[in-house]
Amino acid sequence: MGTWSGEPFGSDSASDWAYDLADASDWSVVRDALAPVIGQTDVDADDAVIAIAAAEVVAHGLDRPTQTDAYTESVGPFVQRAGRPDAALVALALDALAASSSPDSELTELWQDEDPDEWLSANEALKQALDAGLPGRD
């Protein structure tokens, strides 16, 4: 796992997935990245990394990003093209984040061997950003 931080775009897999945003004009690319982990308990690490990055893109769409740096440069132009995510997509992102960071997720197991506090903190910040973007929670 080529990882340099616990942030959503802090790995090779997440950064590579961000290239998919360059040609996308709607939220389907994000939905497609979130869907594989929904309802799963034993989530593959690569699927989890991409789902968390996709959840961060949803947070950007809500004007509540938790990571803004060189690794998220493609997110702003994508959000301008795609518009604001709807409540269903926000809920999907929350579910994907929960599955990706669950105790049975392979990514959780990998982070236990590294610096889990950094990763857990980044995930909690993302969860709060997404929660705040749901209707009635502003």
Side-chain angles (χ1 to χ4, degrees), residues 50-64:
I50 292 168
I52 291 171
E56 176 65 18
V57 173
V58 174
H60 277 254
L62 297 169
D63 293 324
R64 298 178 183 281

Side-chain angles (χ1 to χ4, degrees), residues 56-80:
E56 176 65 18
V57 173
V58 174
H60 277 254
L62 297 169
D63 293 324
R64 298 178 183 281
T66 66
Q67 181 180 358
T68 52
D69 56 23
Y71 301 108
T72 62
E73 285 180 355
S74 63
V75 176
F78 166 76
V79 168
Q80 286 180 342

Side-chain angles (χ1 to χ4, degrees), residues 2-7 9-13 15 67 69 71 111 118:
T3 302
W4 52 87
S5 85
E7 293 180 301
F9 282 91
S11 70
D12 289 335
S13 295
S15 292
Q67 181 180 358
D69 56 23
Y71 301 108
W111 272 102
E118 176 188 358

Side-chain angles (χ1 to χ4, degrees), residues 26-99:
D26 62 36
W27 288 100
S28 62
V29 68
V30 173
R31 276 189 182 80
D32 291 348
L34 297 169
V37 303
I38 299 298
Q40 302 298 314
T41 53
D42 187 18
V43 178
D44 175 77
D46 282 333
D47 289 343
V49 164
I50 292 168
I52 291 171
E56 176 65 18
V57 173
V58 174
H60 277 254
L62 297 169
D63 293 324
R64 298 178 183 281
T66 66
Q67 181 180 358
T68 52
D69 56 23
Y71 301 108
T72 62
E73 285 180 355
S74 63
V75 176
F78 166 76
V79 168
Q80 286 180 342
R81 289 188 306 276
R84 187 172 177 87
D86 61 23
L89 184 58
V90 177
L92 190 68
L94 280 163
D95 289 346
L97 177 61

